[in-house]
Amino acid sequence: MDYIIIVAGGKGLRMGGDIPKQFLPIGGKPVLMRTLERFHEYSKDLQIILVLPKAQQNYWQQLCEEYSFKIEIRLADGGETRFHSVQNGLSLIPDDAEGVVGVHDGVRPFVSVDVIRACYDTARTRQAVIPVTPVVETLRHIPTQKNVLRSDYCMVQTPQCFDIQLLKAANKQPYSDNFTDDASVVEAYGHEVTMVEGNRENIKITTPFDLKIAETLL
């Protein structure tokens, strides 16, 4: 059985409003609902775990009623950091479970079904997979004040997909500030991460400008 952990702990501070960014509407529907729908489109059998701060869960339930949102999910409490939030999500997966678990940002509603499928399919053999896209801007290294080869870098997206037992084991490590995403946790555990091609539309909505872009992508 496969799982997806949707992490949605944003406070919306960069949006400049009181409503957390994952609940803001695009095209008349909250961002988070569009994200969940994309994974449900990939597989109706995918087990969805939504990680939300406890203080936001009642509001989420109200939105589900308001929008008649019926996709079945399980709720987990958000943690102090993303690492701890993912730990809370993993705790809802049986310790003896076999399959693939993905971790995805709740504010990335435009990941393509093809990318989701590629991540899950590749993780069945490679065990740890991330989607990436090329860097298209010129990059400058600030300490040396020199440009660097953009071909040496890529942009990392989600979902990041892993063998369930691997991610559970890796998340038992003590927390480190170096854990910037789930791939960094698994790499610190000593496992290589495989890259697959992502899709450029898979933006992370964090600013008002991102919301404007999102409206054009619908």
Side-chain angles (χ1 to χ4, degrees):
M1 182 176 291
D2 293 340
Y3 295 81
I4 182 67
I5 297 172
I6 305 289
V7 182
K11 297 180 176 63
L13 299 179
R14 277 175 285 184
M15 286 294 184
D18 297 328
I19 300 177
K21 57 193 176 186
Q22 59 266 24
F23 300 140
L24 292 173
I26 50 173
K29 185 182 296 184
V31 170
L32 185 53
M33 288 184 183
R34 292 192 178 277
T35 301
L36 294 168
E37 287 173 344
R38 188 56 57 95
F39 282 88
H40 191 62
E41 180 183 352
Y42 158 68
S43 173
K44 304 296 187 294
D45 297 323
L46 188 65
Q47 302 296 299
I48 301 175
I49 297 170
L50 175 60
V51 185
L52 277 177
K54 201 167 185 63
Q56 296 178 7
Q57 292 179 13
N58 285 339
Y59 183 60
W60 167 250
Q61 299 289 2
Q62 294 172 20
L63 286 176
C64 288
E65 293 181 11
E66 179 181 345
Y67 288 87
S68 299
F69 188 75
K70 302 298 184 183
I71 294 177
E72 185 176 343
I73 64 168
R74 297 180 67 187
L75 273 176
D77 294 341
E80 182 180 351
T81 67
R82 179 192 179 88
F83 175 78
H84 297 101
S85 291
V86 173
Q87 278 187 331
N88 292 348
L90 284 170
S91 71
L92 298 184
I93 300 176
D95 288 339
D96 61 350
E98 296 182 357
V100 173
V101 56
V103 183
H104 188 70
D105 299 318
V107 289
R108 287 187 187 268
F110 298 114
V111 59
S112 74
V113 171
D114 287 342
V115 168
I116 297 172
R117 183 175 295 111
C119 290
Y120 275 85
D121 287 350
T122 306
R124 300 192 198 286
T125 55
R126 304 295 295 177
Q127 295 193 306
V129 178
I130 58 174
V132 300
T133 57
V135 174
V136 296
E137 304 283 358
T138 296
L139 294 178
R140 191 169 184 82
H141 187 243
I142 294 175
T144 61
Q145 287 295 301
K146 293 182 178 179
N147 287 2
V148 295
L149 285 175
R150 61 189 176 197
S151 58
D152 286 344
Y153 298 88
C154 61
M155 304 290 289
V156 178
Q157 302 179 332
T158 63
Q160 300 184 359
C161 292
F162 310 91
D163 174 83
I164 291 173
Q165 293 303 315
L166 171 61
L167 190 59
K168 275 182 168 284
N171 271 265
K172 291 178 181 177
Q173 299 176 99
Y175 172 73
S176 167
D177 288 337
N178 294 325
F179 293 164
T180 55
D181 64 358
D182 305 285
S184 61
V185 176
V186 169
E187 285 178 323
Y189 187 66
H191 199 287
E192 181 181 354
V193 173
T194 298
M195 296 183 291
V196 299
E197 185 177 355
N199 64 294
R200 289 198 63 189
E201 300 85 359
N202 186 15
I203 62 171
K204 187 175 182 180
I205 300 174
T206 57
T207 68
F209 179 69
D210 297 330
L211 274 178
K212 292 179 180 179
I213 295 176
E215 292 286 350
T216 68
L217 291 174
L218 291 175

